């Protein structure tokens, strides 16, 4: 049907040929000029009108589809115009035979170009938010789709030029064993990435820690996971390594622990020590930014240089900066309680006792 349309368009323009080669050249120029003008009309009027209508719909997906194919459609106008204008010229038969596979290859390329643009992970963010799909899963599968688009387009273009794709694939199958042996690490990383996606131990933006790296996940590819460390260095860790290591996801803590021993001097009276313990516990229970379920404040033990008060509680936030701010606020409030009770914080010390009286006199 496409060939019949092209022949009819070319035949219609050739009605207005004058005579000889110049008439055919003028016809070809008119055809190309018309498609060039149609391209400008499509870009400035038709495309903008359709884009304005799609932006009024409830979903953004139709707008993203239109934007993904904008570049290919604009270029396709020029290719079709050039193709039809060349058909109007008195070329040799072998040249005409080459035009169709070139045109078909370019057409396949433009379609693949549009689908490649459409499979950008940013275009699926609306679906990701609506159905609570993990962003790292969307990123991984959009990369898979892009690879499939490129492979499928390449196979179709090769078939257009008459090559035997089945024989080529059979040759790949014969060399598949050698390729698999050479790409064991790559295959392990790909399957490691699939296992990570299935288990979903972390998402993009999570703070994770393994035996080899600690930081924030920025991206996951077929081969590796990119982690931004707290020193702001970007570390690429193979997926097989992360899949086989114990992993701690600190972002999913829900609350963050603070625990330590507070040592006061041995000269502290029992009543004051008891009052400090009760006031610190009351302060923590009434603090608006601490988790109320687990709060322990107890006089724990007699250490070598201090009477130790054990503190164990959690902040409601897991953000590191907020966690440090809350911890600082708690420490200042504890210092205020100790000052009001006139209790001193102990420091490591040692008392030495001599059985015999020391003499400081020197012989004359």
């Amino acid at each position: 049907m496409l060939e019949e349309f092209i022949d009819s368009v070319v035949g219609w323009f050739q009605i207005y040929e004058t005579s000889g080669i110049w008439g055919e050249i003028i016809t070809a120029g008119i055809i190309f000029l018309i498609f060039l003008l149609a391209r400008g009309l499509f870009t400035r009027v038709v495309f903008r009108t359709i884009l304005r209508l799609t932006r009024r719909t409830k979903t953004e997906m139709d707008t993203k589809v239109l934007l993904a194919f904008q570049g290919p459609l604009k270029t396709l106008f020029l290719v079709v115009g050039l193709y039809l204008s060349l058909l109007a010229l008195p070329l040799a038969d072998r040249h005409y035979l080459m035009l169709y596979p070139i045109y078909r290859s370019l057409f396949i390329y433009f379609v693949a170009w549009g689908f490649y643009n459409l499979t950008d992970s940013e275009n699926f963010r609306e679906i990701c938010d609506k159905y609570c799909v993990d962003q790292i899963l969307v990123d991984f599968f959009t990369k898979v789709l892009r690879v499939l688009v490129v492979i499928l387009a390449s196979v179709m273009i090769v078939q257009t030029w008459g090559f035997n794709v089945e024989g080529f694939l059979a040759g790949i199958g014969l060399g598949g064993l050698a390729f698999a042996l050479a790409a064991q690490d790559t295959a392990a990383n790909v399957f490691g990435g699939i296992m990570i996606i299935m288990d979903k131990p972390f998402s993009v933006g999570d703070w994770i820690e393994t035996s080899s790296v600690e930081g924030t996940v920025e991206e996951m590819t077929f081969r590796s996971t990119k982690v931004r460390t707290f020193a702001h260095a970007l570390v690429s860790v193979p997926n097989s390594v992360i899949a086989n290591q114990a992993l701690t996801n600190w972002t999913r803590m829900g609350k963050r622990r603070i625990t330590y021993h507070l040592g006061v001097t041995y000269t502290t009276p029992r009543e004051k020590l008891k009052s400090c313990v009760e006031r610190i516990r009351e302060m923590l229970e009434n603090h608006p930014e601490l988790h109320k379920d687990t709060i322990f404040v107890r006089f724990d033990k007699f250490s070598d240089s201090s009477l130790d008060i054990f503190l164990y509680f959690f902040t409601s936030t897991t953000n590191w900066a907020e966690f440090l701010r809350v911890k600082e606020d708690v420490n200042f409030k504890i210092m205020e309680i100790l000052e009001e009770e006139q209790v001193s914080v102990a420091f490591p010390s040692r008392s030495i006792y001599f059985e015999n009286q020391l003499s400081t006199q020197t012989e004359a």
Side-chain angles (χ1 to χ4, degrees):
M1 182 174 293
L2 180 61
E3 290 82 356
E4 295 176 357
F5 171 74
I6 292 173
D7 292 339
S8 63
V9 172
V10 175
W12 185 81
F13 278 106
Q14 285 180 338
I15 295 175
Y16 298 96
E17 291 183 7
T18 55
S19 61
I21 185 66
W22 288 107
E24 294 171 337
I25 292 175
I26 292 173
T27 301
I30 291 174
I31 293 174
F32 184 75
L33 182 61
I34 288 177
F35 274 88
L36 187 63
L37 294 175
R39 176 179 179 268
L41 179 65
F42 171 79
T43 303
R44 298 180 181 180
V45 180
V46 179
F47 183 82
R48 291 183 180 178
T49 302
I50 298 175
L51 188 62
R52 195 180 302 114
L53 292 175
T54 57
R55 284 175 174 168
R56 295 177 182 176
T57 59
K58 296 181 179 180
T59 178
E60 294 183 0
M61 199 61 199
D62 49 1
T63 303
K64 292 175 180 177
V65 172
L66 196 62
L67 292 174
F69 284 89
Q70 178 183 8
L73 285 174
K74 289 168 62 177
T75 313
L76 185 62
F77 270 97
L78 297 179
V79 173
V80 173
L82 182 62
Y83 175 66
L84 294 178
S85 62
L86 289 175
L87 289 180
L89 294 176
L91 302 177
D93 291 340
R94 59 188 178 88
H95 294 150
Y96 284 122
L97 292 176
M98 289 183 60
L99 283 178
Y100 181 73
I102 292 175
Y103 168 74
R104 184 177 174 84
S105 300
L106 289 174
F107 183 82
I108 294 172
Y109 168 75
F110 291 135
V111 174
W113 179 10
F115 279 107
Y116 188 88
N117 293 338
L118 184 61
T119 52
D120 188 358
S121 60
E122 291 296 324
N123 292 334
F124 294 91
R125 189 171 295 277
E126 180 184 3
I127 299 176
C128 180
D129 296 337
K130 182 177 180 180
Y131 295 101
C132 299
V133 180
D134 200 321
Q135 184 63 36
I136 199 169
L137 183 66
V138 175
D139 291 340
F140 187 85
F141 279 105
T142 51
K143 289 182 175 66
V144 173
L145 288 175
R146 283 190 162 187
V147 171
L148 292 177
V149 167
V150 172
I151 293 174
L152 184 60
S154 301
V155 171
M156 293 177 67
I157 291 174
V158 169
Q159 286 181 330
T160 299
W161 288 93
F163 292 98
N164 186 3
V165 180
E166 295 180 358
F168 175 73
L169 294 177
I172 292 178
L174 292 175
L177 179 60
F179 177 79
L181 292 174
Q184 284 183 352
D185 291 340
T186 302
N189 290 326
V190 171
F191 282 108
I194 294 174
M195 294 303 298
I196 291 173
I197 288 174
M198 292 177 62
D199 292 341
K200 293 194 293 186
F202 57 81
S203 301
V204 173
D206 283 0
W207 166 24
I208 66 171
E209 181 182 2
T210 68
S211 59
S212 58
V213 68
E214 180 181 5
T216 305
V217 178
E218 284 200 352
E219 184 185 4
M220 181 180 172
T221 62
F222 289 110
R223 181 186 175 277
S224 62
T225 298
K226 293 178 173 57
V227 179
R228 181 76 64 179
T229 66
F230 295 126
H232 210 65
L234 186 63
V235 180
S236 295
V237 186
N239 290 332
S240 59
V241 174
I242 291 185
N244 294 320
Q245 286 184 347
L247 185 144
T248 303
N249 191 328
W250 294 109
T251 300
R252 298 182 184 177
M253 287 185 293
K255 53 185 179 180
R256 193 161 180 173
R257 185 183 65 176
I258 300 176
T259 180
Y260 57 91
H261 281 88
L262 175 65
V264 299
T265 59
Y266 265 97
T267 58
T268 304
R270 180 177 59 84
E271 292 298 327
K272 284 190 174 292
L273 179 60
K274 186 177 180 180
S275 177
C276 286
V277 170
E278 292 175 352
R279 291 187 60 182
I280 292 173
R281 185 188 301 115
E282 182 181 0
M283 180 272 295
L284 296 178
E285 290 174 349
N286 294 325
H287 198 290
E289 295 177 293
L290 296 182
H291 207 275
K292 302 300 186 294
D293 291 346
T294 308
I295 296 177
F296 294 111
V297 182
R298 296 293 180 184
F299 172 40
D300 187 41
K301 59 183 177 179
F302 299 88
S303 294
D304 294 337
S305 304
S306 61
L307 303 172
D308 286 354
I309 301 173
F310 174 67
L311 294 96
Y312 188 95
F313 55 97
F314 292 84
T315 63
S316 298
T317 180
T318 58
N319 180 272
W320 192 38
E322 289 297 310
F323 165 79
L324 292 176
R325 183 188 60 79
V326 174
K327 185 177 180 180
E328 178 188 56
D329 182 62
V330 169
N331 288 339
F332 278 130
K333 284 181 168 58
I334 292 175
M335 285 185 65
E336 182 180 358
I337 292 173
L338 295 178
E339 290 173 358
E340 291 176 356
E341 295 292 337
Q342 296 180 349
V343 173
S344 300
V345 177
F347 56 88
S349 60
R350 179 174 295 177
S351 299
I352 300 176
Y353 299 91
F354 296 94
E355 293 184 0
N356 300 321
Q357 184 176 1
L358 292 180
S359 175
T360 57
Q361 296 179 356
T362 59
E363 296 180 0

